[in-house]
Amino acid sequence: MMAVNESSLRGYPHPSISCRAAFDWMLAKLVRSNADGFHLLFLHVQVPDEDGFDDVDSIYASPTDFQSMKQRDKIRGIHLLEYFVNQCHQLGIKCEAWTKQGDPKEVICHEVKRVQPDLLVVGSRGLGPFQRVFVGTVSEFCVKHAECPVITIKRKANEAPRDPIDD
Amino acid sequence: MMAVNESSLRGYPHPSISCRAAFDWMLAKLVRSNADGFHLLFLHVQVPDEDGFDDVDSIYASPTDFQSMKQRDKIRGIHLLEYFVNQCHQLGIKCEAWTKQGDPKEVICHEVKRVQPDLLVVGSRGLGPFQRVFVGTVSEFCVKHAECPVITIKRKANEAPRDPIDD
């Protein structure tokens, strides 16, 4: 199982720098030429938008607006997953992809418990302790709490954007 | 690269419960039938014994005594590594094994930087936050600081000894 998320810089449907690097590493170092030997599960957890107005130029909204926003989020999540599914198809690797709503760290650990994958793959921004206090890291939580082995793949320093909290 | 340590319950040359479980998992889930595709490096870091008298029934020692203790530690470390090397030989997996002296978490990260393995494998006792405060965990440090992807394999609850700090 691999947890994937969107880039904070480029938005949907672009995967974050760290999860893209983790995916590339997994293909190069784990899957290698043994495409038949793997079945990948991509999990994208969408954080419900508290105010729902991050890119809407209005503070008014009808119930229908909220409905259409939910629908739009779903479509964006599917587009993100398409990136990974398409690459797997080209390489002949069996895969599945899911979107879920909620707190990513909680949902990922819950899904690990339910699905019992052999391995959970998570990318990490590799933040320092000071940055971590404010941001929290999903990968750290999963390493401690997920009920399966977890591989943490840190973003390379030369791939980090100007603000390392971005990804 | 795989970091290995001795059992706190059974002593040298027995590997700890968590590193043995991590080794078995690695063989079953990563190496699988592809023995040719791997080159394993086992690293055992011995913590220098501060007083050197843990199993000597005397508070006096000559320089020769110290020398022989160092020698004995080295032999014990080699016996521990033998367990892993023998299994690899039986399965036809190429491997190397090293002992080093020092603070395990620091030495492991230093060796990762020097050797640049594709992956660092560490076992973990899976301690809770309260237990971790007093024990510290090598695996947690490595996930944050090692300059390569790190896979953390937690000990199963049913494999934990009565005192979970033991391993």
Side-chain angles (χ1 to χ4, degrees):
Chain A
M1 178 183 284
M2 181 175 181
V4 299
N5 64 343
E6 78 280 15
S7 173
S8 62
L9 288 165
R10 303 180 62 205
Y12 283 102
H14 295 284
S16 68
I17 299 169
S18 60
C19 84
R20 196 168 163 157
F23 178 65
D24 291 344
W25 184 91
M26 182 174 67
L27 292 181
K29 301 294 184 181
L30 291 187
V31 176
R32 299 195 278 188
S33 55
N34 183 21
D36 278 348
F38 287 82
H39 186 123
L40 303 181
L41 310 174
F42 297 99
L43 173 61
H44 173 44
V45 184
Q46 295 183 307
V47 184
D49 198 1
E50 293 235 325
D51 56 13
F53 294 105
D54 56 351
D55 58 358
V56 179
D57 222 5
S58 160
I59 57 160
Y60 304 102
S62 69
T64 336
D65 290 337
F66 283 108
Q67 200 54 47
S68 71
M69 268 187 280
K70 276 188 194 160
Q71 197 55 36
R72 191 193 57 198
D73 277 351
K74 203 170 172 180
I75 289 167
R76 288 161 71 172
I78 290 168
H79 279 159
L80 177 68
L81 289 167
E82 227 176 1
Y83 170 85
F84 297 100
V85 172
N86 282 344
Q87 290 221 33
C88 286
H89 273 260
Q90 279 170 21
L91 297 165
I93 305 165
K94 284 188 295 294
C95 71
E96 290 171 48
W98 300 318
T99 54
K100 298 266 172 185
Q101 292 263 331
D103 178 349
K105 60 185 190 305
E106 302 282 355
V107 174
I108 293 166
C109 290
H110 179 83
E111 289 300 304
V112 163
K113 194 168 187 159
R114 192 177 67 81
V115 176
Q116 302 188 359
D118 283 336
L119 178 62
L120 174 67
V121 179
V122 287
S124 154
R125 285 168 289 186
L127 300 177
F130 183 74
Q131 293 157 334
R132 266 202 305 269
V133 171
F134 295 102
V135 180
T137 84
V138 172
S139 60
E140 239 177 287
F141 185 92
C142 292
V143 168
K144 283 177 198 158
H145 300 283
E147 292 178 10
C148 79
V150 179
I151 179 160
T152 309
I153 301 163
K154 282 188 284 294
R155 192 174 63 184
K156 289 197 168 61
N158 61 10
E159 288 175 339
R162 196 180 300 177
D163 181 350
I165 286 172
D166 273 328
D167 192 25
Chain B
M1 178 183 285
M2 179 173 183
V4 299
N5 64 343
E6 79 281 14
S7 173
S8 61
L9 288 166
R10 304 180 60 205
Y12 283 103
H14 297 283
S16 68
I17 299 170
S18 61
C19 83
R20 196 168 163 159
F23 178 65
D24 292 343
W25 184 91
M26 182 175 66
L27 292 181
K29 301 293 184 182
L30 292 186
V31 177
R32 298 196 278 188
S33 53
N34 183 22
D36 278 350
F38 288 82
H39 186 124
L40 303 181
L41 310 173
F42 296 99
L43 172 61
H44 173 44
V45 184
Q46 295 183 306
V47 184
D49 198 1
E50 293 236 325
D51 56 13
F53 295 105
D54 55 351
D55 59 357
V56 179
D57 221 6
S58 160
I59 56 161
Y60 304 103
S62 69
T64 339
D65 290 337
F66 284 107
Q67 200 55 46
S68 71
M69 269 187 281
K70 276 187 195 160
Q71 197 55 34
R72 191 193 55 199
D73 278 350
K74 202 170 173 179
I75 290 167
R76 288 161 70 173
I78 290 167
H79 279 160
L80 177 68
L81 289 167
E82 228 175 0
Y83 169 85
F84 298 99
V85 172
N86 282 344
Q87 290 220 32
C88 286
H89 273 259
Q90 280 170 21
L91 296 164
I93 305 165
K94 285 189 293 293
C95 70
E96 290 171 49
W98 300 319
T99 54
K100 298 266 173 187
Q101 292 264 330
D103 179 349
K105 60 185 191 307
E106 302 282 355
V107 174
I108 294 166
C109 290
H110 179 83
E111 289 300 302
V112 162
K113 193 168 188 160
R114 193 177 67 82
V115 176
Q116 302 187 359
D118 283 335
L119 177 62
L120 175 67
V121 179
V122 287
S124 154
R125 285 167 289 185
L127 299 178
F130 183 75
Q131 293 157 333
R132 266 200 305 270
V133 171
F134 295 102
V135 179
T137 84
V138 172
S139 61
E140 239 177 286
F141 186 93
C142 292
V143 168
K144 284 177 196 157
H145 300 284
E147 293 179 11
C148 78
V150 179
I151 178 161
T152 309
I153 302 163
K154 282 190 283 293
R155 192 175 62 185
K156 290 197 168 60
N158 61 11
E159 287 175 338
R162 195 179 301 179
D163 181 350
I165 286 172
D166 272 328
D167 193 23

